[in-house]
Amino acid sequence: AQKVTQAQTEISVVEKEDVTLDCVYETRDTTYYLFWYKQPPSGELVFLIRRNSFDEQNEISGRYSWNFQKSTSSFNFTITASQVVDSAVYFCALSGTNTGNQFYFGTGTSLTVIP
Amino acid sequence: DTAVSQTPKYLVTQMGNDKSIKCEQNLGHDTMYWYKQDSKKFLKIMFSYNNKELIINETVPNRFSPKSPDKAHLNLHINSLELGDSAVYFCASSLWGPGNIQYFGAGTRLSVL
């Protein structure tokens, strides 16, 4: 079974604080892919990052960084020096290799950055 | 140029009516999807098509019928609309194959009165 858990439903931070969004996944596939998407208040879903299960290197893109740890089945997302424009709902998703391209989304974490 | 476009963006209708949502992608993808996002923001896959063939058909009422005339289009027709159908419907597309990124349209907000 494939499952993604985002235990944090809502997070509020003050601008310029760092914030980490947690994502824990379950899968029996040995090869799988993890994704993060952002849904700002305007409603569209924006792709942020994809990792495959063989690449555990952490990734940094500007103020965004991702920590992939297979040992704890986690793929956490950190925003450094948060800004008001980071306010959005963030979704973590999992895709296996025998699931017909299906994505399994977490329930999302709503981040509010307070100016 | 919009990569995945859905029309209409908003749809307000009465219970019992029939409505359609259209989706088109110009990314050259061969796989398209419909998702439903409820009021709690939960995203649920409804259907997926690969090269016009139905691949995923989750537990969705028969009132929902997808149609894919070609690889670039996937439309969603809903019969006898109910209050519980009110949601945001997202179309997405990708290349077929594990781990390919799905690109989403802007969504269609359906309100059934």
Side-chain angles (χ1 to χ4, degrees):
Chain A
Q2 319 272 359
K3 185 179 177 183
V4 173
T5 300
Q6 294 180 256
Q8 304 151 309
T9 307
E10 295 181 354
I11 301 177
S12 291
V13 298
V14 176
E15 204 171 18
K16 297 184 184 175
E17 286 183 348
D18 299 347
V19 59
T20 295
L21 310 182
D22 297 334
C23 172
V24 173
Y25 62 91
E26 295 174 32
T27 180
R28 292 182 182 171
D29 290 352
T30 52
T31 302
Y32 52 89
Y33 300 83
L34 296 161
F35 303 79
W36 277 95
Y37 282 81
K38 174 182 181 180
Q39 186 175 36
S42 50
E44 71 272 24
L45 279 156
V46 179
F47 164 74
L48 294 178
I49 190 171
R50 172 187 60 188
R51 303 298 282 181
N52 73 54
S53 51
F54 295 109
D55 183 0
E56 285 193 73
Q57 273 198 332
N58 290 334
E59 181 149 344
I60 298 174
S61 176
R63 297 182 297 105
Y64 294 173
S65 62
W66 290 269
N67 184 348
F68 177 28
Q69 291 196 339
K70 286 178 80 170
S71 59
T72 55
S73 297
S74 64
F75 185 42
N76 296 337
F77 173 26
T78 297
I79 302 173
T80 303
S82 60
Q83 299 177 1
V84 173
V85 293
D86 296 327
S87 296
V89 180
Y90 292 87
F91 292 94
C92 181
L94 166 70
S95 177
T97 46
N98 298 300
T99 55
N101 268 36
Q102 185 166 346
F103 275 25
Y104 296 85
F105 280 91
T107 49
T109 297
S110 177
L111 173 65
T112 301
V113 181
I114 303 165
Chain B
D1 288 345
T2 304
V4 182
S5 59
Q6 299 178 225
T7 53
K9 189 166 174 62
Y10 300 97
L11 190 51
V12 181
T13 188
Q14 300 287 330
M15 265 187 355
N17 285 349
D18 303 338
K19 290 294 179 185
S20 291
I21 307 173
K22 295 186 175 182
C23 181
E24 175 182 5
Q25 54 92 7
N26 62 4
L27 296 168
H29 291 161
D30 55 4
T31 307
M32 296 184 72
Y33 313 81
W34 278 110
Y35 286 86
K36 179 180 179 180
Q37 186 175 45
D38 62 22
S39 57
K40 294 185 179 178
K41 300 285 190 180
F42 182 61
L43 273 164
K44 179 178 167 58
I45 182 75
M46 299 174 70
F47 305 101
S48 77
Y49 271 75
N50 172 244
N51 282 321
K52 302 192 299 175
E53 181 185 344
L54 182 64
I55 301 297
I56 295 172
N57 184 357
E58 289 294 295
T59 308
V60 174
N62 290 339
R63 300 182 293 102
F64 290 79
S65 53
K67 282 190 173 51
S68 181
D70 55 55
K71 287 193 300 185
H73 296 84
L74 180 62
N75 303 324
L76 183 65
H77 188 76
I78 315 170
N79 289 328
S80 304
L81 278 155
E82 301 178 357
L83 293 176
D85 298 331
S86 296
V88 180
Y89 292 85
F90 284 98
C91 176
S93 74
S94 74
L95 289 172
W96 178 255
N100 284 316
I101 300 164
Q102 292 185 17
Y103 293 92
F104 286 78
T108 296
R109 182 173 294 276
L110 171 64
S111 298
V112 182
L113 307 177

